[in-house]
Amino acid sequence: MEREECVLDYLEKNGIPFECYHHPESPTIDVAKQYWKNDGSVHCKNLFFRNHKGNRHYLVCFDCNRNLDIHDLEHRLKQGKLSFASEQRMERYLGLRPGSVSPFGLINDHENHVYLFLDRNLKNYGKVSFHPNDNRATVVLRMEDFERYLSCVGNSYEFTELY
């Protein structure tokens, strides 16, 4: 089953409403901005990190129009020194390839290994949007439906101030 189909099936099976639209491949935010619809959502940037020992992994999600300094992020998250996780780790823990990282990858994290940090400011928006593990589509959810999704997957997460 395609990665996108897995996400959409998961949402449907859990009764989580969503909108989905397709567009050309968009491996970066700059490319994706050309194709995003004016759908009323905040489009999110998603970064996958590991700690310095490589035994803990973190997904960090925030408004794509914001930038994060990794040293500031380390200080705010209090998780020690962080570095970007390798493609192999991304595939192992999220079942994803670079350019398609999103919280929907958590459906592939059967051991709930990845900890999710979400920017607190995302709660100020009525809707959020992410790739459905395939950068040729965008899924839009109301914030309360996204939080229902997070409860279903079972990974630990928190909303925190990232900048």
Side-chain angles (χ1 to χ4, degrees):
M1 185 180 298
E2 293 285 328
R3 292 170 197 250
E4 174 193 344
E5 289 175 22
C6 289
V7 170
L8 302 183
D9 284 351
Y10 187 91
L11 294 173
E12 287 173 0
K13 285 178 184 173
N14 286 284
I16 300 169
F18 63 92
E19 300 168 45
C20 181
Y21 59 91
H22 295 87
H23 46 69
E25 186 173 356
S26 304
T28 66
I29 295 294
D30 288 335
V31 173
K33 284 181 178 182
Q34 301 172 55
Y35 306 114
W36 285 332
K37 295 181 179 180
N38 186 10
D39 54 31
S41 72
V42 60
H43 298 282
C44 297
K45 185 182 287 188
N46 309 284
L47 303 175
F48 187 52
F49 294 101
R50 66 176 188 86
N51 68 353
H52 72 286
K53 292 181 182 178
N55 62 350
R56 301 198 73 200
H57 293 83
Y58 310 97
L59 183 58
V60 178
C61 303
F62 56 99
D63 181 337
C64 73
N65 293 311
R66 303 296 303 248
N67 291 312
L68 290 179
D69 176 271
I70 193 166
H71 299 296
D72 186 45
L73 184 65
E74 290 169 344
H75 175 73
R76 288 178 183 277
L77 299 184
K78 299 175 177 67
Q79 300 298 313
K81 183 167 174 45
L82 300 175
S83 59
F84 287 104
S86 67
E87 289 183 35
Q88 293 79 13
R89 288 173 188 266
M90 190 179 301
E91 179 67 37
R92 177 178 176 194
Y93 293 109
L94 297 175
L96 300 176
R97 296 181 296 243
S100 296
V101 176
S102 87
F104 294 127
L106 297 174
I107 65 174
N108 300 315
D109 182 19
H110 304 292
E111 296 177 13
N112 300 108
H113 177 81
V114 177
Y115 192 92
L116 176 63
F117 286 104
L118 299 138
D119 180 48
R120 180 177 301 157
N121 293 308
L122 295 177
K123 286 192 166 238
N124 296 332
Y125 298 92
K127 296 179 180 179
V128 290
S129 59
F130 307 95
H131 287 310
N133 298 346
D134 182 328
N135 62 22
R136 297 172 295 174
T138 297
V139 168
V140 181
L141 302 105
R142 293 179 308 159
M143 179 54 77
E144 58 266 25
D145 294 323
F146 177 62
E147 289 184 74
R148 280 185 47 221
Y149 161 75
L150 293 175
S151 293
C152 289
V153 293
N155 290 70
S156 297
Y157 71 93
E158 67 184 90
F159 285 89
T160 190
E161 193 168 323
L162 295 181
Y163 34 80

